[in-house]
Amino acid sequence: MALIVQKYGGTSMGSTERIRNVAKRVAKWRNAGHQVVVVPSAMAGETNRLLGLAREISAAPDGRELDMIAATGEQASSGLLAIALQEEGVPARSYTGWQVGVKTDSSYTKARIRSIDAQRIRDCLDAGRVVIVTGFQGIDDEGHVTTLGRGGSDTSAVAIATAVKADECLIFTDVDGVYTTDPRVVPSARRLNVLAFEEMLEMASLGSKVLQIRAVEFAGKYRMPLRVLSSLTPPDIPIEQEMRSGTLITFEEDVQMESAVVSGIAFTRDEGKIMLLGVPDKPGVASIILGKVADANIDVDMIVQNQSVDGTTDFSFTVHRNDFQKVQDLMRNGVVEEIGARELVADEDVAKVSIVGIGMRSHAGVASRMFKTLADENINIQMISTSEIKTSVVIKDKYMELAVRALHKAFDLETEPVSS
Ligand code: ASP
Ligand code: MG
């Protein structure tokens, strides 16, 4: 007998029919002798609808009240699932986050979980019930309802799994796993059987929207492996088969054996590039430029600067598109003048493409193969950044898909790696 946490996303909970299917799947696990905690999302579209109502009334609604409203989405879906399970003949009880002591800080709409009182959940399991705990929410020290940020049920599931010391944390969703890259760009993209936490973080933050990033961070920190799998398979598929499906996100030690040098290719059009040309090459310049950006609480992604031969240099960096205009204004209103730059160029027609893989730690020549591949396609690289498990390039926006396809092929990602 194992203790299993299962999270179901909004699409999986999207109608009463689908909720019945979730109940059938959960009943299968429970009837096979497992203890099951289910963490549902709100029914698809419900959180948007609820937040939209608040925005119809106010352009700047109060965070506390937004959380009060948004938290009801999961409360409803959880209660519905409990009823559906009871209809299947399975004793089940639903709880809100606050009823089972999901304690968070007080940052409304983006709260962080601090602790969970696992005893209540365990007692209920020991009484032979399936326990359903609302995703996405908790309660702060003053007793106010909080929510964890959009997509936060993933994090709830991981936190609950950690608190109850679950054997498995299954994230059921509307895709059947994590792919080598977006199949809409590369139709031959392959589902990954296994991926390391760190790789998933790089893939997620670069655009694959399968899991909330914070959930992956949490899982890595507390060493809770996650399996991302489809809730659209027939609910009665054999458990052994279900446990071989999807993508397991786990410890690096367990991935190495199976993995290729490059596991996947991530890409994004969400960044813009700022170039300061003809900047006097002297101490303090980078600190002035990036200090202003940091003061405005804006994250910088890539940075490129060379030492000069003739006394002036160019300084480039990228920021998220949402901050692009703001950063340009910051530069134009003071920084350009203060550092004595000749010119500011803002380029929005850029894309970032990254190859990701823990195998890069131990293999040389991976980055150069990437550059050669892009060169063969005549794609100019504007910026490069590397970490131990990732190499990213900034290129012209219109070549992004070409680059992703060429790299997918060059690193042979269509083919299942042979275990070493
Ligand atoms: N219902 C919340 C949202 O739509 C949380 C979640 O689904 O994970 O963001
Ligand atoms: Mg989600």
Side-chain angles (χ1 to χ4, degrees):
M1 185 190 72
L3 172 48
I4 315 286
V5 171
Q6 302 188 351
K7 184 258 172 178
Y8 290 89
T11 314
S12 314
M13 299 293 292
S15 64
T16 47
E17 199 44 48
R18 292 204 171 153
I19 291 174
R20 278 212 187 95
N21 271 330
V22 169
K24 289 202 171 83
R25 194 180 299 274
V26 172
K28 170 186 72 186
W29 280 84
R30 196 246 175 204
N31 294 338
H34 301 297
Q35 290 189 314
V36 188
V37 181
V38 188
V39 181
S41 286
M43 295 171 78
E46 181 63 4
T47 310
N48 285 342
R49 187 186 74 84
L50 291 165
L51 295 173
L53 291 174
R55 298 223 156 76
E56 276 175 28
I57 297 175
S58 163
D62 178 40
R64 181 191 182 281
E65 303 312 326
L66 280 179
D67 282 357
M68 189 69 186
I69 298 160
T72 64
E74 271 72 8
Q75 190 170 333
S77 63
S78 295
L80 288 168
L81 181 58
I83 293 171
L85 276 161
Q86 290 160 7
E87 284 293 307
E88 293 293 320
V90 173
R93 228 174 231 180
S94 65
Y95 295 94
T96 61
W98 61 267
Q99 286 176 310
V100 290
V102 179
K103 287 281 182 60
T104 72
D105 63 19
S106 305
S107 322
Y108 298 120
T109 73
K110 47 175 187 300
R112 284 182 179 263
I113 296 179
R114 284 188 174 148
S115 63
I116 294 177
D117 173 14
Q119 200 52 50
R120 184 87 188 257
I121 300 176
R122 282 223 196 80
D123 291 347
C124 191
L125 285 170
D126 291 343
R129 296 191 187 95
V130 166
V131 181
I132 303 161
V133 182
T134 52
F136 182 52
Q137 60 194 269
I139 190 167
D140 74 0
D141 284 343
E142 272 80 58
H144 305 297
V145 172
T146 55
T147 69
L148 309 180
R150 298 309 304 269
S153 307
D154 293 336
T155 305
S156 305
V158 177
I160 290 166
T162 306
V164 300
K165 301 197 171 57
D167 297 294
E168 300 278 350
C169 182
L170 306 180
I171 309 281
F172 284 95
T173 177
D174 54 354
V175 294
D176 66 354
V178 182
Y179 277 69
T180 48
T181 194
D182 188 337
R184 282 170 301 190
V185 174
V186 184
S188 61
R190 188 174 46 85
R191 180 175 56 78
L192 292 156
N193 290 321
V194 59
L195 197 63
F197 292 121
E198 263 193 89
E199 292 176 308
M200 185 62 201
L201 282 177
E202 298 290 4
M203 298 285 279
S205 59
L206 294 165
S208 332
K209 295 182 181 68
V210 188
L211 277 176
Q212 200 196 32
I213 293 176
R214 206 186 274 175
V216 183
E217 283 169 359
F218 204 105
K221 187 163 163 200
Y222 295 100
R223 299 185 65 81
M224 174 54 64
L226 304 176
R227 184 175 293 277
V228 176
L229 68 175
S230 173
S231 68
L232 305 175
T233 54
D236 58 355
I237 74 164
I239 286 179
E240 307 74 48
Q241 194 180 332
E242 195 148 54
M243 288 308 285
R244 282 194 308 270
S245 70
T247 301
L248 178 67
I249 300 160
T250 187
F251 316 114
E252 194 167 323
E253 310 87 89
D254 300 336
V255 175
Q256 235 135 22
M257 298 262 293
E258 267 208 56
S259 80
V261 177
V262 170
S263 300
I265 299 172
F267 54 88
T268 174
R269 286 191 168 101
D270 287 347
E271 290 179 23
K273 185 175 71 166
I274 308 275
M275 290 179 284
L276 291 149
L277 307 181
V279 177
D281 191 12
K282 58 175 192 227
V285 168
S287 136
I288 294 173
I289 300 171
L290 299 178
K292 283 282 188 307
V293 179
D295 289 347
N297 230 327
I298 294 169
D299 283 334
V300 171
D301 183 24
M302 285 202 205
I303 304 168
V304 169
Q305 196 222 316
N306 257 323
Q307 199 188 351
S308 66
V309 260
D310 63 355
T312 66
T313 183
D314 302 333
F315 189 100
S316 311
F317 60 98
T318 62
V319 293
H320 196 275
R321 226 158 255 252
N322 296 345
D323 300 317
F324 196 54
Q325 191 54 51
K326 204 161 153 199
V327 171
Q328 287 175 61
D329 295 345
L330 270 177
M331 296 296 118
R332 291 219 163 84
N333 301 327
V335 175
V336 170
E337 203 177 336
E338 185 176 351
I339 60 175
R342 189 182 70 238
E343 197 186 344
L344 177 119
V345 179
D347 185 358
E348 245 188 310
D349 299 327
V350 292
K352 182 169 80 170
V353 176
S354 311
I355 54 173
V356 176
I358 50 169
M360 289 165 74
R361 281 200 223 280
S362 49
H363 287 80
V366 181
S368 63
R369 186 141 125 229
M370 177 186 203
F371 306 148
K372 168 91 170 58
T373 306
L374 297 173
D376 288 346
E377 297 294 339
N378 241 319
I379 299 171
N380 190 40
I381 300 171
Q382 303 179 5
M383 299 171 100
I384 301 171
S385 81
T386 64
S387 78
E388 268 199 294
I389 65 159
K390 175 182 81 169
T391 302
S392 305
V393 295
V394 168
I395 58 175
K396 222 177 193 2
D397 189 10
K398 67 176 180 198
Y399 299 130
M400 184 181 85
E401 299 198 352
L402 174 64
V404 173
R405 280 195 287 267
L407 291 166
H408 200 268
K409 198 159 185 128
F411 287 101
D412 208 16
L413 291 178
E414 282 102 2
T415 343
E416 191 101 14
V418 265
S419 306
S420 51

